[in-house]
Amino acid sequence: MGLGHQCFGVRPADLLTCKQEGRPIAALTAWDALSAALVEQAGADVILVGDSLAMVVLGHATTLPVTLEEMILHTRAVGRGLQQPAAQQPLIVTDLPFLSYQCGGDAAVAAAGRVLKDSPAAAVKLEGAEPETIAVVDRLVRSGIPVMGHLGLTPQSVHQLGYRRQANDPLSQERLRRQARDLQAAGCFALVIEHVPAELAAGLSQELSIPVIGIGAGDQCDGQVRVTADLLGLTERQPPFSPPLLAGRQLCIEALRGWVAGLQPQSPPPPTNPVTPAAPHCSEPGLRDH
Ligand code: KIV
């Protein structure tokens, strides 16, 4: 997309330029070297190592169990999968997992600092905008750590919110708008907004100066993000707001079935003489005495 500086690829600040120039931001998730290479080749500006990897890749029922170590491990694999010269690589953003930032600023700086020190991520994403979270964002940003916010359907709050569409009435829409403004004021460089009414997301994209990146939030946002496995139809069921582009799961199963079925029968090996087990020696201690 021609973004970026000489020794880095896309930087957080480049997303603001995209918004100002009306260029839509494309963000896709990746979880390992293989998926990162696909997403990079597809021309994504941002690779999100989302905590959805807990469900998509690690087989958990929610995003809650994934650990900071796992997020770092997968982000490193994503970095190794990139093939473009550094100056053309997408921006890697890694999700801070549940409980790595909810316990306060010190814990959050330690967790986000680990992500930036020990992996190729250049930014972190976190969910929500309660006053405690805003304080954490402020602290991270003032520590030099770029932060992407995430409002609307926030899967780390699944036990409170479920996976339903959020902000359906005027009161909760006003609350979400206020939270978005708070995240912007605290220094977030971009905001993901998930599964909310399209008009709300469109209005926020107009109102905020930072880019609004939608998923299940209509097509009038500054950018779009998708879980790559959903788009490719690899997950068992895709969310209603993220229909698959191809029946990837079925295609893979059929291809693999064809391979299994095509294995050539082999002639069995000739029978060998059965080996008669040696009789125990009667003077062997233990055998005789028991
Ligand atoms: O974890 C994730 O993949 C995400 C996207 C759904 C935005 O947060």
Side-chain angles (χ1 to χ4, degrees):
M1 199 171 187
L3 298 170
H5 302 282
Q6 219 172 357
C7 25
F8 297 114
V10 179
R11 305 277 79 205
D14 293 326
L15 303 191
L16 184 60
T17 313
C18 282
K19 174 170 177 134
Q20 287 163 350
E21 295 177 357
R23 282 187 280 160
I25 297 160
L28 286 167
T29 65
W31 53 89
D32 59 11
L34 186 81
S35 53
L38 297 180
V39 162
E40 183 191 43
Q41 300 272 313
D45 306 302
V46 177
I47 295 187
L48 174 65
V49 186
D51 60 359
S52 58
L53 78 82
M55 301 168 77
V56 173
V57 176
L58 303 180
H60 294 297
T62 69
T63 61
L64 304 191
V66 69
T67 65
L68 182 65
E69 295 310 319
E70 288 166 333
M71 294 306 297
I72 290 172
L73 180 103
H74 283 268
T75 306
R76 292 172 75 161
V78 162
R80 287 193 293 270
L82 299 185
Q83 293 161 356
Q84 298 291 327
Q88 285 156 36
Q89 290 181 0
L91 170 68
I92 301 178
V93 181
T94 294
D95 264 343
L96 287 181
F98 181 59
L99 280 199
S100 67
Y101 61 94
Q102 286 89 344
C103 296
D106 288 347
V109 171
R114 284 270 335 270
V115 171
L116 263 60
K117 272 170 88 78
D118 295 344
S119 86
V124 296
K125 175 165 83 57
L126 52 72
E127 296 182 5
E130 295 307 319
E132 299 81 5
T133 316
I134 295 296
V136 161
V137 172
D138 179 65
R139 177 84 190 278
L140 291 176
V141 172
R142 291 193 307 116
S143 307
I145 300 171
V147 181
M148 181 181 272
H150 184 157
L151 291 176
L153 195 173
T154 46
Q156 290 181 13
S157 305
V158 60
H159 297 307
Q160 285 177 327
L161 306 178
Y163 292 120
R164 288 183 298 277
R165 193 173 82 149
Q166 299 297 306
N168 297 305
D169 58 82
L171 215 62
S172 48
Q173 290 179 1
E174 187 40 49
R175 180 165 173 269
L176 193 141
R177 273 194 287 269
R178 198 178 54 245
Q179 292 184 324
R181 286 194 292 267
D182 289 348
L183 285 170
Q184 174 171 276
C188 279
F189 69 91
L191 173 65
V192 165
I193 184 144
E194 179 168 358
H195 207 11
V196 301
E199 315 74 59
L200 175 64
L204 271 176
S205 303
Q206 292 287 321
E207 184 188 334
L208 297 186
S209 54
I210 58 171
V212 173
I213 303 177
I215 170 166
D219 57 7
Q220 299 298 305
C221 299
D222 304 304
Q224 296 288 331
V225 58
R226 293 292 183 274
V227 174
T228 300
D230 287 340
L231 269 194
L232 297 180
L234 293 173
T235 43
E236 224 157 334
R237 277 179 303 133
Q238 290 75 37
F241 53 81
S242 185
L245 298 172
L246 74 159
R249 194 178 169 83
Q250 206 45 42
L251 287 171
C252 290
I253 292 171
E254 274 160 27
L256 296 174
R257 256 194 204 136
W259 180 83
V260 169
L263 290 180
Q264 291 303 311
Q266 303 291 307
S267 26
T272 51
N273 288 336
V275 179
T276 325
H281 198 282
C282 57
S283 66
E284 220 171 288
L287 287 176
R288 188 184 45 198
D289 301 342
H290 287 251

